Amino acid sequence: MLVLHGTGVSSGIAIGKAYVLHRERPEVPEYALPENLIEGEIRRFTAAIDSARSQLESIRDHIPKSAPPEISSIIDTHLLILHDKMICEAPVDTIRKKRCNAEWALKTQSDELSAVFEQMDDPYLRSKKTDVGQVVDRILRNLLVSNDEEHEQITDALDGQIVVANDLTPADIVLLKHTRIAAFVTNLGGPISHTAILARSLEIPAIVAVHNATRAIRSGEQLIVDGKLGVLIVLPEPGVVAEYQHRQKRIVQLKRELETIKASRSETRDGCAIKLYANIELPDDIKAANKVAAEGIGLYRTEFLFMNRPDLPDEEEQYRAYAKVVKAIPGKPVTIRTLDLGADKRIDSNSRGGETITVNPALGLRAVRLCLHDTSLFRPQLRAILRTSALGQVRIMIPMLSSLGEMFRVLDLIEETKAELTRQGQPFDPETQIGGMIEVPAAAVSADLFAPHLDFFSIGTNDLIQYTLAIDRVDEAVNYLYDPLHPSVLRLISMTIRAGKSAGIPVAMCGEMAGDVRYTRLLLGLGLDEFSMHPSALLEIKRIVRESDLTELGRFAEDVLNARHTGELHALVDKMNER
Ligand code: PEP
Ligand code: MG
């Protein structure tokens, strides 16, 4: 038995036989060509590109209707890459200039592109290197292997098997979708790699970044995949299989049970209504939110509309995106967070999004600071959000507030925008609620000063923990220090909740802590009344809410806050969770 660890990117447990896909990049030969063969070589290259195009188009045409929309957009991205001059024209110049074979010309071009992607700071853009590599591999295979059908044949008899690969192409995933594979394991990838995104939307357990998985595992070997913890067990002992089978059954049973409370109220045993909202990144995510009957959107991360593109969305484009969300969840609040760009969330467009390389980007010109620094970025967004307020219940949320001055400047800008819209006869809701994210310790400590001027608070624990404990949230080396139960974090959360309550405004939480079942009872005990999270967590949190008694949890939470050392604190939280 061998236990390997990777990054769990799609939760669930799978037990099955491995199917190892060995599809390393083909060996690329290099040879010189005499002048008279150059034009023929260029035709061979063009034919390989044409074949790649028809292969991709054919895959796109065969995407099952039930497949998530991301699949076809990824295939479209591959088609765009294929048409890019860097891929379909630059190698032709190389063939002419260097008089080399087509494969070599393509390989040198692809190596150069790879190096450029490697230097990009933005992890999302860096991950695009994989797409370019996958397109190049396809062309190379067309050049090197005649009638290479291996790629399209991998779907045979894979039902119930666990696919282990160096990496999977979106095309692979389209094909795999026809079968009922049990899980994915890949050597490469990260939480935002395609494999991860697609696995989550297909609801298949998946682990990425299991180094050397394809070497350590042989086809036919039994595997256990725990997609939540990122644990991969190779050739498990019978007792371990039995244990995981039991856990698997529990998960299926739990899912079924959770479905039954979808329509039930989110209310504690002692009759307190707790709002459960969904976090979304893109308008399409609203489907997942509706599927679990979220009571609204507690965090719409609008910066995703600005990322991964060379230009900026104008007011109209933003209006359309926000309107799509508001209309898709009628009658329920949609909390639109103003731009939270900067630090790890960078945009391509020159001159914006904290383009200067700073020593501590998380402490730099990001989020509301950037918006106030560059109001030409902020004003169109405020106009778009306010215009959307005419269509439904829209709330504006300001990220990363750290001083009262910033808050007042934003409130003034909102008033100015309202006046402008009124002058122009554009409809909007004058009562649109404005809330602040409490994610900087300074704001939590002085929450009582912010509260009288805002309509709600939302605690962003991802940043609050990063700033309180001085741990960069994207630095793996300090991950181990990340601790939502650190007394300082709990005190800041409690202070924020109390300040909100005494000012009579609701306090929500939209960081990852809100969707983690280990903390639900404690947060309820601390008085949190709104939770916003990834839709997949919502029903489980609802179940806990429905089983909770706030008076009892309040007493426990008080003890947790008064605990004198970590051991005592953890024991109290465990005790709360046993109830
Ligand atoms: C947070 O910081 O907790 C939060 C919800 O915002 P983001 O993760 O987008 O920074
Ligand atoms: Mg944040």
Side-chain angles (χ1 to χ4, degrees):
M1 184 165 105
L2 172 70
V3 181
L4 300 172
H5 294 267
T7 310
V9 291
S10 181
S11 63
I13 288 171
I15 305 172
K17 296 255 183 297
Y19 183 96
V20 185
L21 271 177
H22 286 289
R23 195 150 20 68
E24 268 80 52
R25 174 169 273 203
E27 274 297 312
V28 177
E30 178 190 9
Y31 47 85
L33 290 167
E35 182 68 44
N36 64 338
L37 293 186
I38 297 294
E39 288 312 311
E41 190 66 2
I42 291 172
R43 277 196 297 280
R44 197 167 75 84
F45 177 70
T46 322
I49 296 265
D50 288 345
S51 309
R53 179 177 313 122
S54 25
Q55 288 158 357
L56 285 170
E57 281 169 354
S58 148
I59 288 167
R60 189 183 53 189
D61 295 344
H62 290 91
I63 295 175
K65 286 210 170 49
S66 55
E70 294 90 321
I71 291 185
S72 83
S73 71
I74 294 169
I75 304 287
D76 286 339
T77 309
H78 281 201
L79 279 161
L80 282 176
I81 293 172
L82 191 65
H83 287 123
D84 195 287
K85 282 191 196 143
M86 305 292 247
I87 297 293
C88 66
E89 288 179 16
V92 173
D93 290 344
T94 315
I95 299 173
R96 279 215 175 90
K97 269 193 218 129
K98 300 207 169 144
R99 294 193 186 167
C100 64
N101 55 320
E103 296 87 343
W104 190 254
L106 179 63
K107 183 190 175 295
T108 35
Q109 176 64 11
S110 137
D111 290 349
E112 277 171 28
L113 284 175
S114 256
V116 173
F117 276 104
E118 234 0 280
Q119 276 162 16
M120 291 181 176
D121 285 335
D122 183 323
Y124 185 84
L125 284 180
R126 227 176 20 241
S127 73
K128 289 284 162 220
K129 184 182 119 183
T130 317
D131 292 273
V132 175
Q134 288 169 350
V135 173
V136 167
D137 283 356
R138 181 174 281 280
I139 309 168
L140 281 177
R141 274 196 300 276
N142 289 339
L143 283 166
L144 290 164
V145 190
S146 55
N147 288 331
D148 173 26
E149 289 300 318
E150 179 230 358
H151 194 64
E152 267 72 26
Q153 278 174 0
I154 57 173
T155 59
D156 290 352
L158 283 184
D159 275 18
Q161 302 209 39
I162 295 169
V163 172
V164 183
N166 187 42
D167 197 7
L168 288 169
T169 69
D172 290 333
I173 295 170
V174 173
L175 298 166
L176 292 170
K177 168 79 185 154
H178 290 293
T179 69
R180 253 164 296 156
I181 65 154
F184 299 124
V185 176
T186 58
N187 293 346
L188 304 178
I192 52 168
S193 66
H194 288 139
T195 319
I197 296 168
L198 293 169
R200 277 197 290 270
S201 56
L202 295 170
E203 296 182 13
I204 294 173
I207 312 180
V208 300
V210 184
H211 305 294
N212 290 325
T214 46
R215 280 209 203 140
I217 300 164
R218 271 187 237 134
S219 283
E221 285 180 342
Q222 192 176 33
L223 301 180
I224 296 177
V225 171
D226 182 336
K228 187 169 187 180
L229 300 180
V231 173
L232 173 68
I233 308 175
V234 188
L235 297 174
E237 278 146 19
V240 177
V241 176
E243 163 64 21
Y244 275 90
Q245 277 167 340
H246 177 70
R247 287 195 206 174
Q248 212 177 18
K249 272 196 202 128
R250 274 290 303 141
I251 294 176
V252 174
Q253 198 184 334
L254 190 67
K255 266 196 176 164
R256 237 183 261 140
E257 281 167 22
L258 291 178
E259 275 298 307
T260 64
I261 58 163
K262 204 160 90 180
S264 316
R265 293 153 74 93
S266 167
E267 200 175 270
T268 59
R269 280 213 314 261
D270 45 347
C272 292
I274 302 294
K275 294 227 161 62
L276 300 183
Y277 293 138
N279 290 353
I280 62 165
E281 267 97 53
L282 294 168
D284 270 341
D285 297 342
I286 202 89
K287 288 186 205 127
N290 279 330
K291 213 166 135 191
V292 292
E295 285 171 82
I297 302 302
L299 166 63
Y300 174 9
R301 292 183 160 105
T302 56
E303 53 279 2
F304 283 83
L305 190 63
F306 289 67
M307 285 154 74
N308 193 28
R309 55 188 286 169
D311 56 348
L312 294 170
D314 62 9
E315 179 186 326
E316 279 313 307
E317 187 182 340
Q318 291 186 58
Y319 173 73
R320 281 197 301 275
Y322 307 155
K324 188 172 170 188
V325 171
V326 174
K327 285 184 193 156
I329 186 157
K332 295 180 175 172
V334 174
T335 314
I336 306 182
R337 177 172 74 181
T338 59
L339 270 178
D340 187 11
L341 284 174
D344 55 327
K345 295 184 206 144
R346 308 272 296 269
I347 54 175
D348 312 4
S349 171
N350 305 327
S351 80
R352 258 88 168 234
E355 79 290 355
T356 4
I357 305 297
T358 50
V359 179
N360 290 307
L363 305 182
L365 198 58
R366 57 168 291 209
V368 71
R369 301 171 178 184
L370 180 70
C371 288
L372 289 172
H373 172 78
D374 184 354
T375 52
S376 69
L377 190 65
F378 201 22
R379 286 180 193 271
Q381 179 170 49
L382 291 178
R383 284 179 58 92
I385 301 178
L386 279 167
R387 284 173 55 201
T388 325
S389 72
L391 308 173
Q393 210 182 316
V394 167
R395 314 200 295 177
I396 301 178
M397 183 156 82
I398 315 157
M400 223 204 152
L401 284 171
S402 60
S403 75
L404 290 172
E406 269 169 344
M407 176 190 67
F408 288 127
R409 282 188 62 204
V410 176
L411 295 178
D412 284 348
L413 271 174
I414 293 176
E415 283 312 308
E416 280 173 34
T417 312
K418 283 183 180 173
E420 199 176 83
L421 291 173
T422 310
R423 276 197 305 277
Q424 294 167 348
Q426 294 262 24
F428 66 92
D429 175 6
E431 304 298 319
T432 304
Q433 293 203 345
I434 304 164
M437 280 195 73
I438 303 297
E439 50 183 350
V440 176
V445 171
S446 52
D448 58 322
L449 305 178
F450 284 89
H453 310 282
L454 293 169
D455 298 307
F456 63 94
F457 280 157
S458 188
I459 308 174
T461 46
N462 308 341
D463 278 314
L464 186 63
I465 296 172
Q466 145 165 281
Y467 294 128
T468 307
L469 304 183
I471 44 167
D472 187 338
R473 63 193 264 192
V474 294
D475 185 346
E476 273 178 36
V478 286
N479 257 352
Y480 73 101
L481 290 170
Y482 175 87
D483 180 14
L485 292 181
H486 192 290
S488 61
V489 173
L490 296 182
R491 286 175 192 198
L492 291 175
I493 292 173
S494 168
M495 282 172 94
T496 308
I497 296 174
R498 283 175 200 210
K501 292 224 163 200
S502 40
I505 62 169
V507 181
M509 178 178 286
C510 60
E512 291 303 301
M513 191 177 179
D516 192 325
V517 291
R518 288 171 296 179
Y519 312 121
T520 315
R521 293 177 183 84
L522 174 60
L523 293 171
L524 286 168
L526 291 173
L528 191 75
D529 24 50
E530 298 184 3
F531 292 63
S532 191
M533 67 209 86
H534 187 275
S536 64
L538 195 139
L539 292 177
E540 213 173 338
I541 302 286
K542 190 192 257 189
R543 182 179 58 81
I544 300 178
V545 167
R546 290 172 54 80
E547 288 167 0
S548 296
D549 180 302
L550 282 197
T551 326
E552 182 189 46
L553 292 181
R555 279 196 298 271
F556 267 107
E558 207 49 52
D559 292 344
V560 170
L561 284 177
N562 291 328
R564 302 308 305 167
H565 53 81
T566 323
E568 185 191 350
L569 192 152
H570 282 256
L572 280 163
V573 174
D574 287 347
K575 206 161 152 202
M576 259 174 138
N577 288 338
E578 275 160 21
R579 307 191 68 79

